[in-house]
Amino acid sequence: MKRFMMKATVFALVAVAFSSCSKEKFHITGTISNAKDSVLYIENLSLDGPVAKDSVKLNEKGNFEFADNRAEAPEFYRLRIANQIINISVDSTETIHVEASYPGMATNYKVEGSKNCDVIKELALRQIDLQNRAIAIQQDNTLSYEAANDSITSIVNAYKEDIKRNYIFKEPMKAYAYFALFQTLGNRLIFNPREIKDDVKVFAAVATSWDTYYPEALRGKNLHNIAIEGMKNIRIVENKQNQVIDASKVNVTNIIDINLLDNKGVMRNLTDLKGKVVLLDFHVFATKESPARIMKLRDIYNKYHAQGLEIYQVSLDPDEHFWKQQTAALPWVSVRDPQGVESQLMISYNIQGIPTYFLLDRTNTLYKRDAQMKDLEAEIKSLL
């Protein structure tokens, strides 16, 4: 799977400025059962992230009604209670009615008054199904890392072809086509407009259509910017691939190499650890779970380092100074990727969440990832 990066929440971060001057309004009404005393928010999905527009504390009946000024192009909102979300698109001055049940409102809801909202629900359910299938493959202990990765790539590619043919290209001017562009698998976009040429074409198709139907829409302009950036990135990659490579400088390994500076400013290559069993760990120190996790890694390192275990830990922390402070006393290889959660490594290693880890055997071959291991120490012992 190639680079799908952009933030896993990028769809929720792209929106048109809210129209404050229009007197025409849209309305979102409905009922959410089993949610007494819960606070229901309506949030506009803006360029700077979700922006709360209104909220209501639900009574026993769960009735609600929101209204706001119409925008000049399709706009996106979400109804949210805690982490349960219903995505809504609004076009003009329509009235949309939602019936849902908490706490499963993200999947257990009905919407009336908007074809776009009907299709967005359909897309959301299909995305959830894709996510569940990918997780099941990752957790299948009978599959090797390569087989699991190939299987996930296969189902994702099939999903993309289906969505392109039956949703995006079918009506690229529709709000649901725009929504489909920004669906995610884990924390990355399913359609990768930065490095996959066909995916750039998909973004460009919707951008062109929005130019025709909504020529002043910021969303359409944003799509154009994404497509242009993607085309530039692809040309750079293609130019590099066309360069002649000195065969004597090619290093054949069974792992995707990592070359990053450690906390002492020394370049550390993952492939240099060939001959050792390596715990390749991806970590963020700026989380409340970090101290406890580091203690567990210390215990493992102290037990097995003398027998040939090494830890190669990749930090995705944005603050370099903070990372250096946190790793100053750690005995293993500590490197940091300055790209953070947008790192190419997230794609190369099919990482859908942080923290995560992999085991490499002494030949520098990827053995298993965390989801495939029930007992990490037992797996380490088997490789030493």
Side-chain angles (χ1 to χ4, degrees):
M1 299 179 78
K2 301 297 183 183
R3 181 179 172 90
F4 284 141
M5 293 310 296
M6 290 177 75
K7 292 185 180 179
T9 56
V10 69
F11 165 70
L13 301 181
V14 183
V16 158
F18 197 82
S19 174
S20 59
C21 58
S22 174
K23 294 181 180 180
E24 296 180 301
K25 294 182 179 293
F26 66 85
H27 298 266
I28 301 176
T29 65
T31 303
I32 299 181
S33 61
N34 303 321
K36 181 182 178 182
D37 296 330
S38 297
V39 178
L40 174 68
Y41 296 90
I42 181 170
E43 298 170 331
N44 175 225
L45 304 177
S46 77
L47 282 167
D48 297 320
V51 176
K53 303 299 295 184
D54 202 352
S55 64
V56 61
K57 186 174 183 180
L58 298 176
N59 58 23
E60 189 169 354
K61 293 182 179 180
N63 296 331
F64 67 89
E65 180 174 0
F66 297 119
D68 213 328
N69 297 326
R70 62 162 290 188
E72 298 304 318
E75 192 51 88
F76 295 89
Y77 299 83
R78 68 184 189 184
L79 298 174
R80 180 178 64 83
I81 299 178
N83 62 350
Q84 290 287 304
I85 292 170
I86 296 175
N87 289 300
I88 300 288
S89 75
V90 176
D91 189 1
S92 188
T93 57
E94 60 196 338
T95 295
I96 299 170
H97 187 77
V98 178
E99 296 285 337
S101 177
Y102 190 74
M105 66 184 243
T107 56
N108 185 19
Y109 74 93
K110 296 180 181 179
V111 61
E112 298 175 351
S114 170
K115 175 187 174 182
N116 274 303
C117 288
D118 282 335
V119 181
I120 284 174
K121 176 187 177 182
E122 185 178 319
L123 286 165
L125 293 177
R126 295 195 61 179
Q127 177 187 10
I128 291 171
D129 176 68
L130 176 67
Q131 181 86 29
N132 290 337
R133 286 188 289 148
I135 291 172
I137 292 171
Q138 278 192 333
Q139 294 178 342
D140 187 347
N141 293 326
T142 65
L143 296 176
S144 66
Y145 170 80
E146 290 80 7
N149 194 45
D150 288 346
S151 295
I152 292 174
T153 300
S154 178
I155 65 172
V156 169
N157 287 340
Y159 182 87
K160 289 171 65 176
E161 288 302 314
D162 185 17
I163 298 302
K164 283 192 293 186
R165 182 176 62 254
N166 295 315
Y167 296 90
I168 297 175
F169 290 153
K170 183 179 180 181
E171 293 182 300
M173 78 295 295
K174 295 293 187 180
Y176 69 74
Y178 186 98
F179 177 88
L181 291 178
F182 294 99
Q183 288 193 295
T184 59
L185 181 63
N187 58 6
R188 66 177 182 272
L189 289 172
I190 293 172
F191 290 99
N192 173 14
R194 289 193 172 177
E195 290 191 351
I196 299 180
K197 184 178 294 186
D198 287 344
D199 291 356
V200 174
K201 293 177 181 178
V202 177
F203 271 73
V206 178
T208 301
S209 184
W210 277 55
D211 275 349
T212 301
Y213 288 88
Y214 318 107
E216 300 303 318
L218 293 182
R219 289 183 184 274
K221 295 175 182 178
N222 181 71
L223 291 179
H224 270 298
N225 290 337
I226 292 172
I228 290 170
E229 181 185 359
M231 287 187 284
K232 289 180 179 178
N233 290 341
I234 289 168
R235 282 197 293 268
I236 291 171
V237 171
E238 288 177 342
N239 289 337
K240 288 182 178 180
Q241 290 174 343
N242 290 332
Q243 293 176 355
V244 178
I245 300 175
D246 184 349
S248 66
K249 297 181 180 179
V250 175
N251 180 24
V252 179
T253 68
N254 296 313
I255 191 68
I256 300 169
D257 201 7
I258 301 176
N259 312 285
L260 292 169
L261 294 175
D262 68 11
N263 50 3
K264 298 177 178 62
V266 178
M267 182 63 69
R268 304 299 295 267
N269 300 329
L270 179 61
T271 51
D272 289 344
L273 298 178
K274 186 175 182 179
K276 296 180 179 292
V277 173
V278 180
L279 177 61
L280 171 59
D281 185 63
F282 291 86
H283 188 79
V284 175
F285 285 88
T287 61
K288 63 180 181 180
E289 298 85 5
S290 176
R293 190 166 183 274
I294 292 299
M295 289 300 296
K296 291 180 180 178
L297 290 178
R298 274 186 175 275
D299 289 342
I300 291 173
Y301 184 87
N302 291 339
K303 285 183 183 179
Y304 303 108
H305 176 65
Q307 301 176 45
L309 174 71
E310 186 54 82
I311 296 177
Y312 187 102
Q313 187 170 58
V314 181
S315 164
L316 301 175
D317 288 88
D319 188 330
E320 181 179 7
H321 179 69
F322 172 79
W323 162 69
K324 286 184 176 180
Q325 287 183 320
Q326 297 298 308
T327 60
L330 296 182
W332 52 74
V333 179
S334 297
V335 300
R336 173 180 168 271
D337 193 325
Q339 292 183 328
V341 294
E342 292 189 355
S343 168
Q344 171 64 36
L345 296 173
M346 297 283 286
I347 303 305
S348 300
Y349 279 87
N350 189 25
I351 297 172
Q352 300 182 25
I354 300 293
T356 192
Y357 58 82
F358 302 80
L359 267 184
L360 283 59
D361 66 21
R362 292 183 184 271
T363 68
N364 223 208
T365 298
L366 199 149
Y367 172 63
K368 288 183 180 179
R369 66 185 306 151
D370 52 358
Q372 298 172 310
M373 293 182 279
K374 294 182 179 179
D375 188 333
L376 174 59
E377 289 198 45
E379 299 285 2
I380 290 173
K381 290 178 183 178
S382 72
L383 297 177
L384 289 174

